[in-house]
Amino acid sequence: SRTVESGVRAPRTECDRAAGGGSMSLCWLITPPPFRRMSAVAVQWVRYCGVLGTPIPKVNHYTSRFAPRNNAKGGSNRHWSTVSTPESLHRTRPWRARGARRSTAWNLSRACQTSLRPGPASGVSRGALRSDSQSRGDSSEALVLDTLAEALADKCGVEETDTLIVCVSGGADSVALLHGLVDCNNQRGWQLRIHVLHFNHGLRPVEAGTEQVMVQSYAKQHKLPFHLRTRTAEQWPSATSGVQEHAREWRRQEAEALRRHLGAHAIVLAHHADDQTETILLKWLRGCHLSNLHGMNWKEGTFIRPLLSLKKENLLGYLDARHISWLEDSSNASDKYMRNRVRHRLIPLLHELTDGALESRISALAEQSQQLREMLDSYGTPQSRQWDEEIDVDDWMTLPRMARMDALYELMSVAGERATAFSSLKRVCAQLEKPEGALQWAWAIGDGYELRRSGSKLWVSDGSTIVTSGDATTVADDVTIRHPQQWQVTARRSDEPASDSGMYLFNIPKGAALTLRARQPGDRFCPHWKADGEVKLKDFMRGQHIPLHLRNSLPLVVLENKVVAIYPSHHSVTTNKENEPGLYAPVYLHISGHNYKAQ
């Protein structure tokens, strides 16, 4: 049992006294869960009639555990709603889709949805408590709407008539974001065209189905287009440590693809100030450089985060004021994820040690880190010094030591996914700074990569073999293809599915002369989703996370001195199927034996 005032466990014999003398709380606590469900309607009727004067704890949708007002480590009122009155019961809108069947679990959750907050102290009337709660709700609602509208316009560059894609999981953060955007239209006169995007990862079948129904019903309630993306559990990596990273990348790719299809202005994410604190602490724990010890940006490409200045408690207050339901992902309570351990263990302790000043100190640290980043960039970025793939050691030696180590870190970070340890950077710097140091050496940095110096040049080598080859020619119907002799090329005009791996090239005219080769300095590429211009090929490969040791061996398809495809999966605007006018059958291309760096 739990006391009403603090939510802390109390002996069963004290339950009646702690609840203010009411017998209903005691009956609720000692009644087995199946009978609680059977009596849910009766409890709702008693509350509606105003007979019940003591609070009933709200039941978590998934775990059927009582949610206390404040946990022992400083948690918030996560599962508690505003005071239940006949008026508030009428205003509460269930998220059940029209016509859907009401299950026993549904009746239980609805009966508990408008549970009273932990009750008033003796001498405080029920009406006074309701008035105070209502004023707090109104304050939270105004704060969230004002902050959201200001952030959208000033921080995220959103116009009042833009098309936005809102990623809604069903949790408190994203549900508050969705309704906040709707309120910007209804209460502020905006005309945002809002699309709701929901992801069903297939990892929690029961909960995921409930979340999907709820989010879809909210979209239907506000007459918003609803988009669903799903995967099955078998499509995720078996290793637990990689699931969250893969899921995040999958969501970003699907959201970006939808944005391009709709022509939307931006994709809106629900990260808030508490997430910002967690992100910075995680970076620090993983050994991030001081100049990168800052959090998420308001705007990152086409992704925007307009809630970064609002805390979780602000969003919960907004949902309480609007009587809006939301669901808690049960995986958020699991400590097998590092972010959850930081949230449940580290942050409450830091709040206690800093006497509640954790957010302000984290914010100051992030601001100083950003200033340090700007100072280091003022000495020249690797791109401005043309150090993308190699460093000029003589030029590098003119920089301050911290700027040298920063440039060296950028160079070595391309070798695999893991970060370079600070101790390794110090050893390499010491080797380079020796007055009489050797001008020719190689330094193993792991995963098959080497840091090599030759004279004044320093670069990372992937150990690939350079093979000098002559040219061979393959004729595919009406298309001629030149390629290195070591590459076995099969090509034909056909729109029938192939039995082996390969790629189809669209819009290749009759009599075309294609060239297959490895990349060369100065190559540029225009991916099919970026019709507004070309990018450097090396930047594209880096952005697609193509491993460094494969970048020099991937065959490029060149037509009229332009790279039109990267074998086997990347099309340009020219060879993409969406731009196919139907004039020619596609060219099927299969290449083997290309694990070389051809010249």
Side-chain angles (χ1 to χ4, degrees), residues 530-550:
K530 186 177 177 62
D532 55 347
E534 297 177 332
V535 297
K536 291 181 180 179
L537 181 61
K538 58 186 177 184
D539 292 341
F540 173 80
M541 289 184 170
R542 182 181 302 154
Q544 294 298 307
H545 305 292
I546 297 176
L548 182 64
H549 67 279
L550 294 179

Side-chain angles (χ1 to χ4, degrees), residues 225-382:
F226 176 78
H227 307 272
L228 175 66
R229 299 293 182 268
T230 62
R231 293 190 81 174
T232 61
E234 292 74 18
Q235 293 177 280
W236 299 107
S238 56
T240 305
S241 59
V243 171
Q244 287 194 324
E245 181 180 348
H246 282 82
R248 189 180 304 110
E249 184 63 26
W250 171 65
R251 291 194 299 266
R252 293 181 73 90
Q253 291 178 356
E254 292 291 340
E256 180 59 29
L258 179 62
R259 186 199 66 81
R260 293 194 302 270
H261 175 72
L262 298 174
H265 173 73
I267 302 161
V268 194
L269 305 177
H271 297 113
H272 49 76
D274 294 359
D275 295 326
Q276 194 79 299
T277 298
E278 293 172 7
T279 299
I280 294 174
L281 289 174
L282 283 169
K283 281 188 170 184
W284 170 68
L285 290 172
R286 290 166 179 161
C288 176
H289 191 274
L290 289 176
S291 64
N292 295 320
L293 204 57
H294 43 80
M296 297 169 284
N297 298 320
W298 292 92
K299 187 173 183 179
E300 184 179 305
T302 57
F303 293 86
I304 60 175
R305 302 179 178 91
L307 301 181
L308 283 181
S309 59
L310 290 168
K311 300 184 67 175
K312 179 84 170 189
E313 62 184 23
N314 302 136
L315 303 180
L316 294 176
Y318 170 78
L319 294 174
D320 284 347
R322 294 286 314 279
H323 303 284
I324 297 171
S325 302
W326 52 275
L327 299 177
E328 181 69 31
D329 185 342
S330 61
S331 65
N332 290 337
S334 172
D335 280 350
K336 70 179 180 180
Y337 300 115
M338 186 172 182
R339 180 177 286 271
N340 288 353
R341 294 198 295 273
V342 169
R343 180 184 303 158
H344 299 153
R345 303 178 189 178
L346 180 59
I347 289 182
L349 176 61
L350 292 177
H351 269 294
E352 178 184 344
L353 295 177
T354 58
D355 197 20
L358 176 62
E359 284 78 12
S360 61
R361 296 183 184 178
I362 289 290
S363 177
L365 179 63
E367 184 175 352
Q368 295 169 36
S369 173
Q370 184 64 41
Q371 293 171 355
L372 178 58
R373 179 74 266 162
E374 293 172 358
M375 184 194 74
L376 292 174
D377 289 345
S378 68
Y379 292 107
T381 63

Side-chain angles (χ1 to χ4, degrees), residues 210-223:
T210 307
E211 292 164 352
Q212 178 180 324
V213 170
M214 187 192 74
V215 175
Q216 190 169 7
S217 69
Y218 278 146
K220 183 177 180 179
Q221 173 186 336
H222 298 296
K223 300 179 180 179

